[in-house]
Amino acid sequence: MVRDRFAPSPTGNVHVGSLRTALYNYLYAKKMNGDFLLRLEDTDQTRLEQGAVDNLLDALNMTGVIPDEGLIKENDSVIQKGQRGPYIQSQRLEIYKKYIEILLDQGQAYYCFCTKERLDEVRNAQKEKGETPKYDGKCRELAKAEIQSNIEAGLPYTVRLKLPENHVITFDDLVRGVIEMNTNDLDDQVLLKADGFPTYHMAVVVDDHLMGITHVIRGEEWLPSTPKHAYLYECFGWEMPHFVHLPNILNDDRKKLSKRQGDVSVGDFLAKGYLPEALVNFLALLGWSPENEQEIFSMEELIQAFDLSRINKSGAVFDRAKLNWMNAHYIKELPIKELVGYLTPFLVNAGVITQEEVVTKQEWLFKIGEILRDRIEYFAQAPQELEMIFKSDFVIADEEALALLHEESSKRLYQTLIAKIEATEVLDAARGKAVLKEIQKEEKIKGKMLFMPSRIMITGEMHGPDLTLIMDVLGKEEVLSRIRSMASIMQ
């Protein structure tokens, strides 16, 4: 049975690249009727951030990329679910030490007592000679008595992997094919740090084996480390999982997506009002392509279509315009009640409506929702988009707009609009539409000469949302006030 995992470090907000990695693992596990695990890799204790675990689990839950096993959030509590835990590396230290001892006993690892200062000196000397910096092997052949003496003296130590000379390590990557690396080109990697925590390279191999991981699907930044992982599988005599290294997500300049060029965390996008399903749909297509030209996918459709063989080797550009287009599509498809539910917090924060008014002005919010449905790409744009509707002190400076208002038919339109709206008991969308139809029939003012001057008088703009919806939202008195404010122009 397929078992794959997402194994992030709790070091901050979830990057969209990390969500894509989790998503691909999730899609493949579901496609193959397997299990998707979430494991926490917290061996680097210096990089841990408060609240990062909650942030991670919330991001996965909101986007529907929910683990079957491992770390899970239920009823606002973080729990561990499954028979192969603990699923937090810092809770597995005794397990790692057991396998470190096996490597030491087999002569495939060794104690290293070199200080940080000495290691820095070695690396700097190698750089000056134009050599690739790597450990010089000073502690590789220490006598047992010396090792014991150093340990009893309390000297800090690490444990390093003892790579054989001129040994070819081979592994198969399902995206990039067979990859070979000679141990002469590799370093004796640290497996156990001086603080007693394993390095990523040791922990990831032990955990993946003990948790029965069959497919390691992760970012291509781990590709250079994979030969070391493959060699550890050799040392233990374990079957290697299938490796799948995903292409990087790139900025417009084709460099790896970074915070310097704008929002990159899942939380950033959700906070701006991108829909979780749109973000998932977009990320799925960054590095993977379906067999057909389909672009809009539900999660279930993604599961059915997903295929590891269609993952690309080359990096995928994070096209924000494409994300905006896709999110706008999802917004248009929302039922009005759901749409308003997403919109409301942004309108409250902008002062368009108070929290108390939300309950009493639901119908008004539904009208606002219909106005905005086709005009925004993400919900944070809503307050600015509504500005033209609520801004009554507008100045008409556009020459084309002024020319339209100075037309003889516009002067008649001005008088008739005021008269008909004054005679109207309630100005809603239906009555607004009826008023315009009556003017068209009675005054013979049609098309552009009817709708555009009417819009300019009410909003100050030549283009915009459905005018009758705007009239409905503003109400009779505000619409009349705005039209009358045109008096000096219409003379």
Side-chain angles (χ1 to χ4, degrees):
M1 183 177 80
V2 165
R3 284 172 63 83
D4 59 24
R5 81 316 189 259
F6 177 48
S9 300
T11 55
N13 293 332
V14 183
H15 190 282
V16 287
S18 298
L19 178 59
R20 187 196 61 172
T21 299
L23 175 63
Y24 282 13
N25 277 280
Y26 174 85
L27 293 176
Y28 187 62
K30 296 300 151 193
K31 174 74 176 281
M32 305 305 292
N33 295 314
D35 290 329
F36 167 56
L37 284 70
L38 176 63
R39 186 173 72 225
L40 204 63
E41 299 193 339
D42 64 341
T43 56
D44 189 347
Q45 295 285 292
T46 63
R47 297 180 62 223
L48 306 187
E49 284 194 23
Q50 189 72 29
V53 175
D54 278 315
N55 178 280
L56 164 67
L57 293 172
D58 287 343
L60 293 179
N61 285 344
M62 288 181 72
T63 53
V65 184
I66 299 172
D68 302 296
E69 184 177 327
L71 245 65
I72 291 170
K73 196 168 189 180
E74 287 184 355
N75 301 320
D76 289 330
S77 298
V78 178
I79 64 169
Q80 296 188 49
K81 175 184 174 184
Q83 303 303 311
R84 305 206 193 195
Y87 296 91
I88 299 173
Q89 285 185 335
S90 59
Q91 298 174 7
R92 298 172 61 82
L93 300 187
E94 291 306 313
I95 296 171
Y96 305 130
K97 285 177 183 175
K98 169 187 169 184
Y99 288 97
I100 289 285
E101 291 296 331
I102 290 173
L103 293 175
L104 287 166
D105 291 344
Q106 292 175 172
Q108 293 164 320
Y110 60 93
Y111 292 96
C112 176
F113 297 92
C114 292
T115 63
K116 181 180 182 301
E117 290 73 23
R118 181 186 180 276
L119 293 173
D120 288 341
E121 286 175 11
V122 170
R123 290 193 190 96
N124 290 335
Q126 289 169 334
K127 286 178 184 176
E128 286 176 10
K129 294 176 185 176
E131 298 172 355
T132 302
K134 58 194 256 186
Y135 182 59
D136 62 355
K138 181 177 185 295
C139 295
R140 274 177 72 104
E141 305 301 337
L142 290 180
K144 284 187 179 180
E146 185 176 355
I147 293 169
Q148 190 61 35
S149 174
N150 287 343
I151 292 174
E152 287 175 359
L155 291 184
Y157 65 84
T158 61
V159 175
R160 290 181 179 271
L161 180 63
K162 192 173 188 178
L163 289 171
E165 290 185 12
N166 199 32
H167 174 72
V168 177
I169 302 169
T170 303
F171 66 93
D172 190 11
D173 185 280
L174 297 185
V175 173
R176 295 151 206 281
V178 175
I179 295 173
E180 293 184 347
M181 180 74 74
N182 194 298
T183 53
N184 291 350
D185 299 319
L186 297 173
D187 199 2
D188 281 359
Q189 179 71 45
V190 172
L191 300 177
L192 187 71
K193 295 178 288 185
D195 62 3
F197 278 78
T199 59
Y200 169 83
H201 309 288
M202 178 65 186
V204 73
V205 170
V206 171
D207 288 346
D208 283 345
H209 173 71
L210 295 181
M211 294 181 187
I213 300 303
T214 61
H215 292 73
V216 173
I217 304 171
R218 60 189 177 191
E220 69 174 87
E221 65 269 20
W222 295 112
L223 194 56
S225 302
T226 305
K228 300 167 188 176
H229 304 166
Y231 181 65
L232 278 171
Y233 279 99
E234 281 186 41
C235 292
F236 289 120
W238 294 338
E239 183 180 350
M240 260 191 287
H242 298 285
F243 291 105
V244 182
H245 287 94
L246 308 176
N248 281 328
I249 298 177
L250 309 175
N251 284 316
D252 292 336
D253 59 6
R254 303 200 70 81
K255 292 180 181 176
K256 192 173 178 183
L257 188 66
S258 71
K259 292 181 181 178
R260 289 188 297 276
Q261 298 207 2
D263 301 327
V264 295
S265 80
V266 175
D268 289 335
F269 286 101
L270 295 180
K272 278 192 168 182
Y274 287 86
L275 291 164
E277 51 267 47
L279 190 58
V280 163
N281 191 160
F282 175 74
L283 290 175
L285 299 174
L286 280 183
W288 168 81
S289 56
E291 289 185 2
N292 54 30
E293 298 300 312
Q294 184 175 346
E295 291 189 293
I296 303 299
F297 287 86
S298 66
M299 185 70 90
E300 190 54 45
E301 288 172 327
L302 283 172
I303 291 168
Q304 295 306 316
F306 192 72
D307 185 341
L308 292 177
S309 69
R310 297 192 64 82
I311 292 175
N312 306 323
K313 292 181 184 177
S314 56
V317 174
F318 193 96
D319 184 347
R320 291 170 193 269
K322 182 68 174 285
L323 172 59
N324 288 346
W325 168 83
M326 192 170 281
N327 199 62
H329 170 85
Y330 277 88
I331 287 174
K332 288 178 183 134
E333 298 295 312
L334 286 173
I336 187 61
K337 191 169 183 179
E338 203 172 331
L339 175 65
V340 166
Y342 280 112
L343 268 176
T344 300
F346 294 92
L347 300 182
V348 170
N349 287 340
V352 174
I353 188 172
T354 66
Q355 192 63 57
E356 292 72 28
E357 289 174 322
V358 169
V359 177
T360 59
K361 297 180 74 171
Q362 276 292 297
E363 288 302 318
W364 182 85
L365 281 169
F366 287 168
K367 293 168 187 175
I368 291 291
E370 292 297 352
I371 288 173
L372 292 174
R373 182 190 293 280
D374 296 324
R375 301 192 60 79
I376 56 173
E377 295 174 320
Y378 52 92
F379 292 111
Q381 294 175 329
Q384 186 176 352
E385 191 64 36
L386 288 174
E387 253 186 51
M388 66 170 250
I389 298 174
F390 296 109
K391 183 177 68 176
S392 57
D393 57 342
F394 49 79
V395 176
I396 300 170
D398 185 89
E399 290 185 6
E400 186 181 352
L402 286 169
L404 272 170
L405 292 183
H406 287 137
E407 291 283 343
E408 187 58 39
S409 60
S410 295
K411 294 177 181 179
R412 284 190 286 123
L413 174 61
Y414 168 77
Q415 298 290 347
T416 314
L417 268 175
I418 290 175
K420 287 194 173 290
I421 293 171
E422 278 181 338
T424 295
E425 189 173 336
V426 176
L427 182 62
D428 56 16
R431 182 57 194 147
K433 189 174 183 179
V435 163
L436 292 172
K437 275 194 170 183
E438 289 168 13
I439 294 173
Q440 184 179 20
K441 185 176 180 182
E442 296 167 13
E443 300 293 332
K444 308 299 187 218
I445 305 172
K446 299 179 181 179
K448 172 183 174 181
M449 298 309 297
L450 171 63
F451 295 104
M452 206 166 275
S454 298
R455 181 183 296 282
I456 296 167
M457 290 179 209
I458 295 170
T459 70
E461 303 286 342
M462 294 177 65
H463 306 283
D466 186 314
L467 182 58
T468 59
L469 281 176
I470 293 175
M471 293 163 80
D472 193 335
V473 165
L474 292 175
K476 174 180 173 179
E477 296 308 319
E478 178 63 21
V479 170
L480 278 173
S481 173
R482 290 182 178 205
I483 296 172
R484 288 184 180 125
S485 73
M486 298 287 113
S488 60
I489 297 175
M490 306 310 298
Q491 288 175 355

